[in-house]
Amino acid sequence: MPSPPNTDLASPDTVRLSAAIIVRDEAAHLRRCLASIVPLVHEIVVVDTGSSDDSPRVAAAFGARVSSFPWRGDFAAARNAALERATGAWILYIDADERAQPTDTRALLATLADPRLVAASVRFRPRAGVTRYDECRLFRNDPRIRFRNVIHETMLPSVHAVARADGLAIGRTALALDHHGYDGDQGRKHRRNIPLLRQRLARDPDHVYSWNHLGQALDGSGDRAAALACWRRAIAIVRARGVESALDALPYGSLLLAEGVEDAPALLDEARARFPGDLLFRWLAGRRMAQAGAFDDAVRLLDPLAGIDAETYCAESGVSYDASIFGVPTWDTLAMCHFQRGRYAEAAYWWGRAADAEPQRLELRTKRRLAEARNGARRPGPRPEPDR
């Protein structure tokens, strides 16, 4: 068993960081990914699992060390092959359809130079239009740290095992990664993922995250009935064993956002009780209150959401949210609630915010002018204090 490292802080100049990437027919994304990480890393390792496009040539043009690994229908096996080829003291694992945002490279390496850390998180955005969350993407190049699972592969259990064995911690970095793979048509990914998800669930039938993902893939493939069944199966698992992670909220959200769910009110009450900190369920409850005419209750629920900056928000729980719940839909609802309660200055403020964000929407400007007229003012002043 390796001895714990010396706890004297090392210099960032001593840290060598390798990027580990697996690819297959990713030439369309790969250039942008590699261009984004060249300023950050000292080595790029690309494992190609059977491309028929120019992915290997594109990678080589960026100075990557490219090798082949036959696809086995197992993401963990391919990722581990990349880890075995990396020579840096630390590894960043990133996909070809992801990009790193510009960051302070020296500050990043200074964090990784801390000998008390075994791994560190990045600020990850899983797709356009949603908020970020902390995701562990950086870890020491240690043979004890390896991926497992054919899909939704993870190295976290081994990271935590090494942390416990060596008395180390997991840190946080300011590095931000954006995933672009869920933009555009997802048909090919759904066709690839559905059999892998079924294989994963055959081995681990209580994996809530995979049931939710299978439901999303089936829904995206046009099979809503099968998707609903997957989400209800996942919820049944949570009910039977209790909440183990904030990610257990995902099938509740998927089902509640589907149209025509008859038991939605009861399901939302259950979701809020099980996941009291979940912001999607708070938003859905606030909208329900507004529709029911409980305007003050709606304001109490929605006002904190309106104060969140979706661009900078980053959850530690691993859950991302549609950015719109912190923007125009919430501002519009808040304005309506204040208007109905005769608080016209507040209504004008929120409709003004909404109109400024979406100036093409004439109805928002019209509502703002109506609220201003009712308030006896031509334009709103600073935001009034919320009515708690």
Side-chain angles (χ1 to χ4, degrees):
M1 182 68 64
S3 300
N6 189 304
T7 55
D8 295 332
L9 293 180
S11 164
D13 297 325
T14 67
V15 177
R16 191 164 185 271
L17 176 61
S18 296
I21 310 175
I22 62 173
V23 302
R24 183 175 185 178
D25 296 331
E26 294 283 4
H29 294 288
L30 190 56
R31 288 181 181 86
R32 291 185 289 270
C33 171
L34 296 178
S36 76
I37 62 173
V38 162
L40 304 178
V41 303
H42 304 87
E43 173 188 60
I44 300 173
V45 174
V46 172
V47 167
D48 187 89
T49 62
S51 292
S52 58
D53 69 2
D54 287 340
S55 291
R57 184 183 62 79
V58 170
F62 279 86
R65 295 174 49 226
V66 184
S67 59
S68 298
F69 183 82
W71 177 245
R72 305 175 184 172
D74 186 333
F75 279 100
R79 290 210 188 275
N80 289 335
L83 299 189
E84 288 160 7
R85 291 159 172 77
T87 63
W90 277 78
I91 291 171
L92 165 69
Y93 96 81
I94 184 171
D95 286 334
D97 56 5
E98 296 172 352
R99 297 174 212 165
Q101 294 299 307
T103 193
D104 184 337
T105 302
R106 188 164 181 82
L108 171 66
L109 296 178
T111 298
L112 303 186
D114 188 339
R116 297 167 296 188
L117 300 182
V118 66
S121 65
V122 303
R123 296 164 57 85
F124 186 68
R125 191 191 307 278
R127 65 180 184 276
V130 302
T131 59
R132 299 185 184 278
Y133 59 85
D134 283 342
E135 178 160 293
C136 186
R137 289 297 194 93
L138 294 151
F139 50 91
R140 290 188 180 275
N141 189 354
D142 186 316
R144 296 173 293 171
I145 298 177
R146 288 295 183 265
F147 288 88
R148 67 186 191 189
N149 302 323
V150 296
I151 191 169
H152 295 313
E153 67 282 9
T154 178
M155 76 297 161
L156 277 176
S158 58
V159 165
H160 288 301
V162 172
R164 289 191 298 270
D166 294 358
L168 301 176
I170 298 174
R172 302 177 75 190
T173 72
L175 177 61
L177 299 184
D178 289 340
H179 183 208
H180 297 273
Y182 290 125
D183 302 340
D185 180 49
Q186 297 299 301
R188 183 173 69 89
K189 280 195 173 183
H190 292 330
R191 290 190 294 273
R192 179 199 68 189
N193 289 342
I194 287 172
L196 291 176
L197 288 163
R198 293 192 189 282
Q199 182 181 345
R200 168 71 191 269
L201 288 165
R203 297 178 182 175
D204 185 5
D206 290 342
H207 194 240
V208 168
Y209 190 90
S210 290
W211 278 114
N212 183 68
H213 188 183
L214 180 58
Q216 297 284 356
L218 290 168
D219 194 40
S221 300
D223 194 344
R224 171 57 64 88
L228 295 175
C230 288
W231 296 329
R232 291 197 181 277
R233 172 70 179 271
I235 289 171
I237 293 167
V238 175
R239 288 169 175 163
R241 62 150 165 78
V243 173
E244 292 185 351
S245 151
L247 297 178
D248 286 344
L250 294 177
Y252 286 87
S254 296
L255 198 55
L256 285 166
L257 292 174
E259 295 181 1
V261 178
E262 294 183 359
D263 59 341
L267 191 67
L268 178 56
D269 290 341
E270 178 186 341
R272 293 194 67 208
R274 291 186 184 276
F275 308 96
D278 190 281
L279 302 184
L280 171 63
F281 303 146
R282 184 185 188 98
W283 181 75
L284 290 172
R287 301 265 290 191
R288 185 175 72 177
M289 294 292 185
Q291 291 165 2
F295 301 120
D296 289 337
D297 289 334
V299 168
R300 176 178 53 81
L301 289 170
L302 296 178
D303 198 78
L305 300 182
I308 292 174
D309 181 351
E311 185 56 35
T312 60
Y313 179 81
C314 184
E316 295 183 38
S317 63
V319 174
S320 65
Y321 299 101
D322 189 313
S324 68
I325 74 172
F326 309 114
V328 171
T330 294
W331 303 341
D332 189 17
T333 303
L334 277 170
M336 184 274 293
C337 291
H338 285 301
F339 189 88
Q340 293 294 333
R341 297 293 289 156
R343 296 188 288 262
Y344 301 121
E346 291 91 334
Y349 171 82
W350 288 115
W351 272 323
R353 286 275 305 266
D356 289 345
E358 296 187 3
Q360 75 281 6
R361 292 181 58 185
L362 176 61
E363 76 275 13
L364 295 175
R365 301 200 304 272
T366 302
K367 290 175 181 177
R368 176 181 61 187
R369 287 195 292 268
L370 175 61
E372 290 171 354
R374 291 283 181 94
N375 191 50
R378 297 184 62 183
R379 63 183 64 220
R383 178 191 173 185
E385 287 298 316
D387 183 15
R388 299 295 183 186

